Amino acid sequence: MTELKPLAVKPLKYQSLDGLSSKQLSEHHDVLYAGYVKKYNEITAALAEVDLTTANATFSDLRELKVEQSFALNAVKLHEAYFDNLTDKPKPADGQIVKAIESRWGSYQAWVDEFAALGLASRGWVALVFDKTLDRFENYIFDVHNQGGVADTKLILVLDVYEHAYFLDYVTGRKAYIEKFMALIDWDEVNSRLNFPAK
């Protein structure tokens, strides 16, 4: 089997954010996210050695490793999208993504209301995606890293609502954290995910 290049931890674009302390960001990025990168690499290395003849749907090393590989890899991808779609220099929503949101939801505020409500309803993640099969934007919940997401979609905006994302700064105040998140979105980054130009 060809040796695969291990994933590397992607650095943050900022040191702190208004409403998210450097301690909160450090715990979230440097400990939790970095840990998922490490675990993905460990699992991938273990898969190179797994005995394929023991495969079984009830329990086998192959099954367990592949399930946990998808968990760790989605954790890496969702965290990277989340960190990258935040900015320490926020500005009002703009660009083609806003027009696309207005076209899909009727108004920008209607989308905000749904996205924020899903942040309260989800156990893990909320994502604005472009669903390639449906040919439209949708808000989807990932209740855990590898559960709830829909295949053939492109991540456009990602919100982490696991308690580890906000507990040091907001304790159980998830609603206040979501409101702050919405004010910290990097719309240039969001537009770039579908190659939309910002204003």
Side-chain angles (χ1 to χ4, degrees), residues 136-194:
R136 66 177 184 240
F137 292 91
E138 290 288 347
N139 290 320
Y140 288 143
I141 284 176
F142 290 70
D143 248 359
V144 294
H145 306 319
N146 58 349
Q147 182 183 75
V150 177
D152 201 27
T153 60
K154 169 76 173 163
L155 293 174
I156 306 301
L157 176 68
V158 174
L159 165 62
D160 188 344
V161 292
Y162 279 113
E163 286 185 350
H164 64 246
Y166 61 86
F167 193 82
L168 291 177
D169 293 331
Y170 294 89
V171 191
T172 58
R174 185 188 289 198
K175 186 174 182 181
Y177 158 71
I178 293 169
E179 288 171 0
K180 179 52 72 173
F181 169 89
M182 299 304 290
L184 295 173
I185 295 170
D186 184 342
W187 291 103
D188 291 340
E189 172 68 23
V190 172
N191 277 288
S192 75
R193 291 179 180 170
L194 273 181

Side-chain angles (χ1 to χ4, degrees), residues 5-171:
K5 181 180 177 182
L7 290 182
V9 173
K10 188 175 183 180
L12 288 172
K13 305 183 295 185
Y14 38 76
Q15 296 301 311
S16 65
L17 296 170
D18 178 35
L20 288 174
S21 66
S22 57
K23 183 176 182 182
Q24 175 69 67
L25 287 170
S26 176
E27 287 289 322
H28 195 180
H29 179 275
D30 301 344
V31 178
L32 190 78
Y33 156 69
Y36 284 124
V37 171
K38 181 180 178 184
K39 281 298 171 193
Y40 171 80
N41 290 330
E42 288 176 6
I43 292 165
T44 301
L47 279 165
E49 306 297 325
V50 75
D51 182 356
L52 299 179
T53 66
T54 64
N56 185 283
T58 302
F59 174 81
S60 64
D61 290 340
L62 177 64
R63 174 182 165 73
E64 295 308 306
L65 287 167
K66 288 305 283 188
V67 168
E68 298 310 324
Q69 184 187 43
S70 71
F71 183 88
L73 184 56
N74 264 7
V76 170
K77 291 180 178 186
L78 288 162
H79 276 101
E80 287 180 352
Y82 167 78
F83 291 127
D84 283 351
N85 62 213
L86 293 173
T87 181
D88 57 353
K89 297 176 184 68
K91 59 184 181 181
D94 68 356
Q96 293 298 311
I97 190 62
V98 175
K99 292 176 184 173
I101 285 170
E102 290 170 345
S103 175
R104 169 66 178 85
W105 277 271
S107 72
Y108 175 74
Q109 189 59 49
W111 168 77
V112 168
D113 292 346
E114 180 180 297
F115 193 85
L118 288 173
L120 297 173
S122 176
R123 295 183 182 113
W125 301 91
V126 181
L128 169 66
V129 304
F130 185 76
D131 190 309
K132 297 173 189 175
T133 304
L134 299 178
D135 193 32
R136 66 177 184 240
F137 292 91
E138 290 288 347
N139 290 320
Y140 288 143
I141 284 176
F142 290 70
D143 248 359
V144 294
H145 306 319
N146 58 349
Q147 182 183 75
V150 177
D152 201 27
T153 60
K154 169 76 173 163
L155 293 174
I156 306 301
L157 176 68
V158 174
L159 165 62
D160 188 344
V161 292
Y162 279 113
E163 286 185 350
H164 64 246
Y166 61 86
F167 193 82
L168 291 177
D169 293 331
Y170 294 89
V171 191

